Amino acid sequence: MNHKISSLFDYTTKYENSISNPEDFWGEIAEDFHWRKPWSKVLDWNFEEPKMEWFKDSKLNLTENIFERLLSTHADKTAILWEPNDPNSDSVSLTYAELFEATCKFANAMRANGIEKGDRVIIYMPMVPEAAIAMLACARIGAVHSVVFAGFSSSALADRINDCQAKMVLTSDGNFRGSKQIPVKAVVDEALEKTTTIEKVIVLKRTGEPVNMKTGRDIWWSDAIADQSSENEAEVMDAEDILFILYTSGSTGQPKGVVHSIAGYMVYTYYSFINVFQYEESDVYWCTADVGWITGHSYIVYGPLLAGATTLMFEGVPTYPHPGRFWEIIDKYKVNQFYTAPTAIRALQVYGLEPIEKYTLDSLKVIGSVGEPINEEAWHWYHENIGKGRCPLVDTWWQTETGGIMISPLAGITPNKPAHASLPLPGVQPVIVDAEGNELLGNNVEGNLCIRFPWPSIIRTTYGDHNRCKETYFSTYKGMYFTGDGVKRDHDGYLRILGRVDDVINVSGHRMGTAEVENAINEHPEVVESAVVGFPHPIKGQGIYAYAICNSSTKPNAEMESEIKALVRKIIGPIAKPEHVQIVSDLPKTRSGKIMRRILRKVASKDVSSLGDTSTLLNPEIVEEIIKGAGLE
Ligand code: PRX
């Protein structure tokens, strides 16, 4: 690991170098890897089209950089540690050599079932080692994976299959999640009634519950690998070939397929992993995310494995069978780096200190936070009670589109400041702009967060619709990538992320587009129109508050409210279910017909003391009705 930053001075020097000579900076890091053909140019780019090509013309296979590159030194080192949902079941440990063998076998099984380079494969699986094996096997044969979080509904799954025209689904019979057992295969069967492109479904036996296996289409995982060789010749890929598509919500329409390509993503996830977490060779690292999200891709699977780390995967939930489960696991495996979400911290904070006191937590060296702003109270609680005041807390800001951590303390290297993501990683050039796109220089400024120069794991396109990528990220402010987040640079020059400035709600660290939830609500035959906003939630960060206009139904409001909640759950999944549904006779609209969300947000937040100017409303009288309906009079 030649490229681990070792001191504050080193950070400053590297940062300056990364800005003045970005190609040299990234070229040197990329030399850590094995390339089948070297690049002709480190970077070719413009943000107008946009086009970002990193390590241009080079050829490689990402998995060769985990396996062939590392096996001479890491064959017997544990690559994946797996803790099951039930603490009394057996855990699993796979060495790099074993993981390589499992990857090759499954890669061969996918090929034998018709998957070729470039084909799209959906992974809809629980948090088991096979989910990581599936991702790596796709990368091995040049197939493009798209992991769909297994909590999404059948229609959300069908939408994603249809958008990327996937050929195969990898799934399980059922999933264990805390005390629940989720019939995943049945969800896949339902989704496939709305799709036409899936040829094969490979099913891992996990819960043992009975499932329908469609002849000619569905194969058990164990049968698929039974006769496969444990050797596999890696497909030689272009640097800019697609590694994966990951769907994420935006402020408009359907979720978009964020595309990441191979070489840049490989270099950046490795580089950011070793630097942010300061991983050392014998450490055990644990990220509690799910592989269905970008955090699971970059910091459970790719980043750690490219760095030869031991990465822990956990199948269950933080409170099962007891609220000390996380802390129990940390002691059990002597976890050194622990990376979780503020929502989990806030949810566990509610149980007080008793569940923690049984455990020493003395293996911990670094603790991390991701996915949403961490409030100061949660920051201090986490730092004092879990990090025992001695572990640096890395508050890592990044996005599905950035592929890797962009703004974060480097553990023990750059200073910590509560609730601040603090400073950019070397190679990252953040800019704060006002509404017109003017750069706000100096300290004590607040505005919209943009990035002015590409980094290797930047989004390449939105699958099947390049213009959407251009419009969403590269058109708001000319010549810059726009993140959708607000940010403040404080008097010390440290960055504090303020949250989304668009119509995206962050619920428990999960991104939900308001338009997506509204579309689901509007599917109800009695709903005429709806509007969805976020409101501050003590545990989830933000909750979803929906307003719906219904036609002349005789149903009581309470019935409509629960039907609407159930419908959203069915169409998108439990994470999108509104916390509150308020039935209204109209929505506050401007003369041009635009819903004035500002007012709806205020009501949802129970803060109606200053509603601002409502004189431009077409129907000002509705405001009072809504306030009354919300019980805020
Ligand atoms: O609003 C920011 C918030 O999460 C958004 C990205 O969501 P997603 O693509 O699902 O990726 C989450 C995991 C990287 C961002 O636009 N966000 C993420 N990390 C932080 C954060 N907000 C504040 N502080 C963070 N550390």
Side-chain angles (χ1 to χ4, degrees):
M1 294 189 202
N2 307 327
H3 295 99
K4 203 149 103 186
I5 295 161
S6 57
S7 63
L8 190 54
F9 175 75
D10 193 22
Y11 165 80
T12 314
T13 319
K14 289 219 165 77
Y15 192 82
E16 277 161 16
N17 178 27
S18 77
I19 306 302
S20 47
N21 298 304
E23 294 199 38
D24 291 351
F25 176 81
W26 291 112
E28 272 175 37
I29 295 169
E31 305 242 323
D32 281 6
F33 292 104
H34 169 67
W35 302 84
R36 290 285 192 111
K37 182 179 163 222
W39 53 88
S40 60
K41 193 164 178 4
V42 171
L43 172 64
D44 193 4
W45 72 289
N46 72 69
F47 275 173
E48 280 74 52
E49 288 176 59
K51 178 186 83 169
M52 290 72 66
E53 287 181 275
W54 282 93
F55 311 108
K56 198 177 161 106
D57 300 323
S58 68
K59 292 199 180 286
L60 75 160
N61 185 287
L62 185 148
T63 67
E64 284 190 337
N65 282 293
I66 296 175
F67 299 120
E68 281 87 341
R69 183 175 77 96
L70 296 176
L71 279 177
S72 62
T73 47
H74 287 63
D76 298 326
K77 178 173 173 178
T78 303
I80 295 181
L81 276 172
W82 177 71
E83 168 74 7
N85 181 59
D86 175 358
N88 299 315
S89 299
D90 291 338
S91 54
V92 169
S93 153
L94 289 173
T95 64
Y96 272 83
E98 288 164 341
L99 181 62
F100 184 37
E101 193 181 322
T103 300
C104 288
K105 275 198 171 184
F106 197 67
N108 290 330
M110 282 203 292
R111 272 199 185 134
N113 282 288
I115 295 300
E116 292 168 12
K117 178 174 175 172
D119 287 343
R120 273 81 57 213
V121 174
I122 297 283
I123 302 178
Y124 187 72
M125 291 185 67
M127 282 293 291
V128 289
E130 285 82 356
I133 291 165
M135 292 163 77
L136 295 169
C138 286
R140 186 79 183 171
I141 61 175
V144 173
H145 60 69
S146 185
V147 187
V148 178
F149 174 59
F152 276 122
S153 68
S154 65
S155 42
L157 175 60
D159 287 346
R160 286 154 174 79
I161 293 172
N162 288 331
D163 188 77
C164 71
Q165 301 279 288
K167 216 165 145 183
M168 179 179 269
V169 176
L170 310 176
T171 190
S172 59
D173 49 357
N175 291 359
F176 293 119
R177 239 183 118 65
S179 55
K180 294 192 200 123
Q181 199 166 312
I182 299 155
V184 193
K185 175 62 165 59
V187 180
V188 172
D189 290 342
E190 204 178 304
L192 296 194
E193 283 168 19
K194 298 181 216 132
T195 65
T196 53
T197 54
I198 298 296
E199 293 171 9
K200 293 272 159 83
V201 179
I202 302 186
V203 188
L204 180 78
K205 196 167 265 182
R206 176 69 195 113
T207 57
E209 65 198 86
V211 292
N212 286 324
M213 294 293 278
K214 189 169 170 185
T215 316
R217 187 194 72 182
D218 301 351
I219 316 149
W220 287 110
W221 190 289
S222 53
D223 293 339
I225 57 171
D227 300 321
Q228 298 302 337
S229 154
S230 48
E231 278 169 32
N232 174 283
E233 185 59 36
E235 193 75 46
V236 179
M237 305 297 290
D238 288 338
E240 285 298 337
D241 280 338
I242 302 180
L243 177 63
F244 65 84
I245 305 167
L246 185 59
Y247 286 85
T248 190
S249 299
S251 50
T252 52
Q254 288 283 333
K256 43 188 176 290
V258 172
V259 170
H260 282 290
S261 59
I262 301 169
Y265 180 83
M266 172 182 82
V267 169
Y268 196 84
T269 52
Y270 157 83
Y271 157 81
S272 50
F273 173 75
I274 58 175
N275 280 300
V276 171
F277 298 101
Q278 292 287 305
Y279 182 83
E280 288 175 289
E281 190 47 44
S282 56
D283 287 346
V284 173
Y285 161 88
W286 180 23
C287 166
T288 67
D290 188 286
V291 288
W293 313 115
I294 191 70
T295 309
H297 284 61
S298 303
Y299 299 110
I300 294 178
V301 180
Y302 288 114
L305 294 176
L306 285 160
T310 298
T311 177
L312 174 66
M313 278 178 96
F314 174 44
E315 185 184 33
V317 297
T319 48
Y320 178 81
H322 57 81
R325 186 75 192 276
F326 271 3
W327 326 129
E328 179 181 70
I329 296 174
I330 289 173
D331 273 11
K332 176 172 175 186
Y333 295 97
K334 308 220 173 326
V335 170
N336 302 108
Q337 288 92 4
F338 174 69
Y339 190 30
T340 195
T343 286
I345 296 301
R346 289 190 296 260
L348 294 173
Q349 210 176 332
V350 172
Y351 295 92
L353 298 180
E354 202 242 311
I356 307 171
E357 280 158 1
K358 297 191 193 96
Y359 308 102
T360 71
L361 303 181
D362 58 9
S363 55
L364 284 177
K365 298 198 282 192
V366 177
I367 55 176
S369 166
V370 60
E372 47 181 317
I374 180 165
N375 48 309
E376 285 192 39
E377 193 202 339
W379 195 100
H380 286 292
W381 187 89
Y382 188 26
H383 188 246
E384 277 152 37
N385 299 302
I386 307 306
K388 308 290 181 196
R390 66 184 155 77
C391 299
L393 195 171
V394 291
D395 174 7
T396 64
W397 175 84
W398 58 297
Q399 310 177 293
T400 306
E401 295 87 343
T402 70
I405 298 168
M406 303 285 283
I407 303 175
S408 168
L410 308 182
I413 305 286
T414 56
N416 266 194
K417 187 162 195 175
H420 286 68
S422 76
L423 301 172
L425 268 64
V428 175
Q429 301 189 33
V431 194
I432 304 180
V433 298
D434 65 14
E436 281 73 48
N438 304 309
E439 183 172 350
L440 302 175
L441 295 163
N443 293 343
N444 260 328
V445 289
E446 192 178 312
N448 294 332
L449 176 61
C450 293
I451 317 281
R452 82 162 109 232
F453 195 84
W455 59 100
S457 59
I458 185 173
I459 179 175
R460 298 306 197 266
T461 189
T462 41
Y463 193 76
D465 189 354
H466 193 62
N467 201 46
R468 191 166 176 200
C469 173
K470 177 178 168 164
E471 287 298 317
T472 312
Y473 308 105
F474 298 93
S475 301
T476 316
Y477 302 111
K478 207 173 166 332
M480 284 189 256
Y481 166 83
F482 175 44
T483 64
D485 279 313
V487 66
K488 177 177 178 166
R489 196 187 295 114
D490 73 2
H491 53 273
D492 292 328
Y494 281 61
L495 298 170
R496 178 173 195 159
I497 308 295
L498 303 172
R500 302 289 305 196
V501 292
D502 54 9
D503 287 327
V504 169
I505 311 178
N506 193 325
V507 186
S508 302
H510 302 143
R511 256 163 87 166
M512 285 312 319
T514 51
E516 215 182 319
V517 183
E518 287 161 8
N519 289 343
I521 295 175
N522 297 346
E523 291 282 307
H524 193 292
E526 278 157 62
V527 170
V528 179
E529 196 181 358
S530 63
V532 161
V533 296
F535 70 96
H537 187 284
I539 291 179
K540 298 177 175 182
Q542 279 188 298
I544 299 178
Y545 195 114
Y547 299 85
I549 307 176
C550 300
N551 63 19
S552 49
S553 155
T554 48
K555 277 184 199 157
N557 279 359
E559 200 173 315
M560 274 306 290
E561 285 164 27
S562 52
E563 280 184 22
I564 288 172
K565 286 183 185 174
L567 183 67
V568 176
R569 189 187 161 98
K570 185 169 183 308
I571 294 181
I572 307 176
I575 54 172
K577 196 178 97 176
E579 208 81 24
H580 300 288
V581 177
Q582 187 179 342
I583 309 296
V584 293
S585 67
D586 204 354
L587 291 163
K589 286 191 182 150
T590 61
R591 283 176 219 283
S592 56
K594 239 180 123 206
I595 296 173
M596 212 185 248
R597 287 169 186 278
R598 179 171 57 77
I599 292 177
L600 298 178
R601 277 192 214 107
K602 287 261 183 191
V603 174
S605 311
K606 296 190 167 36
D607 168 24
V608 288
S609 52
S610 58
L611 284 179
D613 184 11
T614 53
S615 63
T616 55
L617 284 178
L618 195 62
N619 50 353
E621 67 288 349
I622 196 64
V623 176
E624 208 165 306
E625 183 204 303
I626 291 179
I627 294 175
K628 209 166 159 191
L632 294 178
E633 263 186 330

